[in-house]
Amino acid sequence: MKSIGKSKLHVHLLFWILYYILEVYLDFYWSRYQFPDVEWQMRLQNTLMLELGYLFIKIPLAYSLLYVYERGHLKSFAKSILYILIVVLAVLGHRFFTHYLMYPYIYGTVETLDGKEFSGYINGLVAFNSFMDLIFMVGLIFGVEITRQKNVLKEQISQLKSEKLDQELTMLKAQINPHFLFNTLNNIYGMAMKKADETPDAILQLSKVMRYNIYEAAEKSISIEKDIENIKDFIQIQKIRHHHLTVNFKENVDCPSQEISPLILIQFVENAFKHGVSESLGESFINIDIQLEKGILKYRIENSKEQRAHEHSTKIGLKNIHRQLQLLYPQHSLVVEDRNDRYIVQLIIDFHDTFRS
């Protein structure tokens, strides 16, 4: 709220400075026709004093009207009466200043109308001129303020959407980490039950992967190079347990520093193990192909599976990651093929059309 108030002060201060300069320029230009015998230095001094005096009428008028405009609890009729009253008082004040102060004390003469001496400060024509001068200013300040309010509202809506998106992504990541940890600990538990010699190595690999999940995954984005390295570490853990597994890993990345949201790519690998390899009774395979060229990621995973998959296998991870892709990369392409003997996932992300920076 403080920043919004500060922004309003800056916008309005800039408006009045520019408006004052504009009015000085217009009146100074006009004065050379009305007072051709007066030196330009004196005319400029008079114009500066004149427009400064007018600001003491226009500024209260502008903010009185804005105050009434922003009072949502007032009925339309009451607002209309207040508008008329404020404008009438401003016109009278404008005319009083012009007739009794501006001409005799600034210009050193009397106000004239059509070349004749003008003794009264209320007259239809001159009052209309004052009214038009004030209304011109009111139109400008209302335009500036309404535009500013719309921009503030747009910024607030954008900020709320961003905060909501961040909260949802945080919740999704919080779901991913326990899910991944649960599956990996199950793998190591199976190895420990068999008293496998590779168990310490698996624990060390798990430590490395969890360090990535805790620290790196907390960031909004990381380099794709780090993300791929995490996938390789994850595969090493799984290969220790699955001895009858063939993993073909192809990688072609032209920009290793390309930023990507963490814990997206690995979820497809995890699902390939959990719902493919882990349910296979014999030889199994996983083919992983990661291609990044000119900002376009093509990611394909193909894994073997039993023709009759486990009826109670849950795919929370896949649903989770699909939601993240919708939030982060709305223009992505995700194709999932569930065949009799294999499961294929193909993902394409164009980083040029990324929703979030």
Side-chain angles (χ1 to χ4, degrees):
M1 294 300 292
K2 289 183 179 179
S3 62
I4 293 176
K6 189 176 181 181
S7 172
K8 180 177 180 179
L9 176 63
H10 289 166
V11 169
H12 282 246
L13 183 61
L14 179 62
F15 167 80
W16 288 115
I17 292 173
L18 294 177
Y19 177 77
Y20 178 72
I21 293 173
L22 173 64
E23 289 294 293
V24 167
Y25 170 77
L26 293 175
D27 274 353
F28 178 70
Y29 183 83
W30 166 81
S31 68
R32 68 178 182 174
Y33 296 104
Q34 188 174 19
F35 307 104
D37 299 329
V38 180
E39 293 291 332
W40 73 267
Q41 295 93 335
M42 182 58 66
R43 288 192 290 109
L44 178 60
Q45 178 181 323
N46 292 341
T47 303
L48 291 171
M49 294 175 59
L50 169 67
E51 291 304 327
L52 185 62
Y54 277 142
L55 285 183
F56 285 96
I57 298 171
K58 294 179 178 180
I59 290 177
L61 167 65
Y63 291 106
S64 296
L65 293 176
L66 282 173
Y67 179 81
V68 175
Y69 171 77
E70 293 173 352
R71 301 282 76 77
H73 62 279
L74 292 177
K75 295 182 179 179
S76 299
F77 178 75
K79 281 189 174 183
S80 299
I81 296 298
L82 287 174
Y83 286 147
I84 294 173
L85 180 61
I86 292 170
V87 171
V88 169
L89 290 175
V91 170
L92 292 176
H94 190 279
R95 289 299 310 135
F96 181 88
F97 175 79
T98 303
H99 187 74
Y100 289 109
L101 299 178
M102 183 184 85
Y103 276 93
Y105 294 104
I106 297 178
Y107 290 151
T109 184
V110 295
E111 186 177 14
T112 59
L113 185 64
D114 295 331
K116 300 178 180 180
E117 183 177 331
F118 180 63
S119 57
Y121 86 96
I122 299 180
N123 177 278
L125 179 60
V126 291
F128 179 76
N129 290 339
S130 295
F131 172 78
M132 292 304 297
D133 182 33
L134 295 174
I135 289 300
F136 172 71
M137 177 276 302
V138 168
L140 290 178
I141 190 65
F142 265 72
V144 168
E145 176 58 17
I146 292 174
T147 301
R148 187 197 68 82
Q149 290 180 2
K150 286 184 177 180
N151 289 335
V152 169
L153 181 61
K154 187 183 297 184
E155 183 179 346
Q156 290 175 336
I157 292 174
S158 177
Q159 185 176 356
L160 288 173
K161 286 182 178 179
S162 178
E163 290 175 356
K164 182 180 178 182
L165 181 61
D166 287 339
Q167 290 175 357
E168 185 170 357
L169 287 171
T170 300
M171 292 178 63
L172 289 170
K173 286 183 179 181
Q175 294 172 8
I176 287 176
N177 289 339
H179 183 59
F180 163 75
L181 179 60
F182 176 77
N183 292 335
T184 307
L185 286 175
N186 268 349
N187 294 341
I188 296 178
Y189 173 76
M191 295 170 59
M193 289 295 292
K194 298 177 181 179
K195 297 181 180 181
D197 295 336
E198 300 91 343
T199 304
D201 293 333
I203 295 175
L204 186 62
Q205 289 287 344
L206 175 61
S207 171
K208 187 177 178 182
V209 170
M210 290 311 299
R211 188 181 301 112
Y212 173 90
N213 277 258
I214 294 172
Y215 297 108
E216 301 288 350
E219 302 295 329
K220 288 186 177 181
S221 62
I222 58 168
S223 67
I224 195 168
E225 182 180 33
K226 289 184 178 180
D227 210 40
I228 292 175
E229 182 182 351
N230 182 57
I231 293 174
K232 292 177 180 178
D233 291 333
F234 175 79
I235 292 174
Q236 288 302 316
I237 294 176
Q238 299 293 347
K239 287 177 70 175
I240 293 174
R241 179 186 177 190
H242 299 285
H243 300 287
H244 303 287
L245 169 66
T246 300
V247 178
N248 297 310
F249 193 98
K250 292 177 61 178
E251 173 189 353
N252 183 19
V253 176
D254 64 359
C255 182
S257 61
Q258 170 66 54
E259 297 287 308
I260 187 172
S261 181
L263 300 178
I264 285 185
L265 302 183
I266 194 173
Q267 287 303 298
F268 297 108
V269 180
E270 193 224 357
N271 273 278
F273 279 98
K274 185 173 185 293
H275 304 294
V277 176
S278 296
E279 295 174 352
S280 297
L281 301 178
E283 294 289 336
S284 56
F285 67 87
I286 296 179
N287 299 325
I288 302 173
D289 187 5
I290 301 177
Q291 304 288 329
L292 177 64
E293 185 177 0
K294 297 181 180 179
I296 298 178
L297 174 68
K298 296 181 180 180
Y299 184 47
R300 176 187 170 93
I301 295 183
E302 180 180 1
N303 63 272
S304 59
K305 71 164 193 174
E306 292 295 313
Q307 291 191 1
R308 292 183 179 181
H310 198 287
E311 295 180 359
H312 302 290
S313 63
T314 60
K315 298 187 179 181
I316 298 175
L318 187 58
K319 293 178 181 178
N320 188 314
I321 209 63
H322 183 63
R323 178 56 181 158
Q324 287 198 59
L325 286 168
Q326 289 177 328
L327 293 173
L328 293 164
Y329 308 104
Q331 302 300 321
H332 75 278
S333 170
L334 179 62
V335 178
V336 179
E337 297 182 49
D338 190 358
R339 300 180 183 176
N340 290 333
D341 61 339
R342 66 190 60 201
Y343 198 78
I344 303 172
V345 175
Q346 298 183 83
L347 171 66
I348 298 177
I349 297 177
D350 187 348
F351 290 108
H352 301 105
D353 295 327
T354 302
F355 177 75
R356 293 163 59 83
S357 59

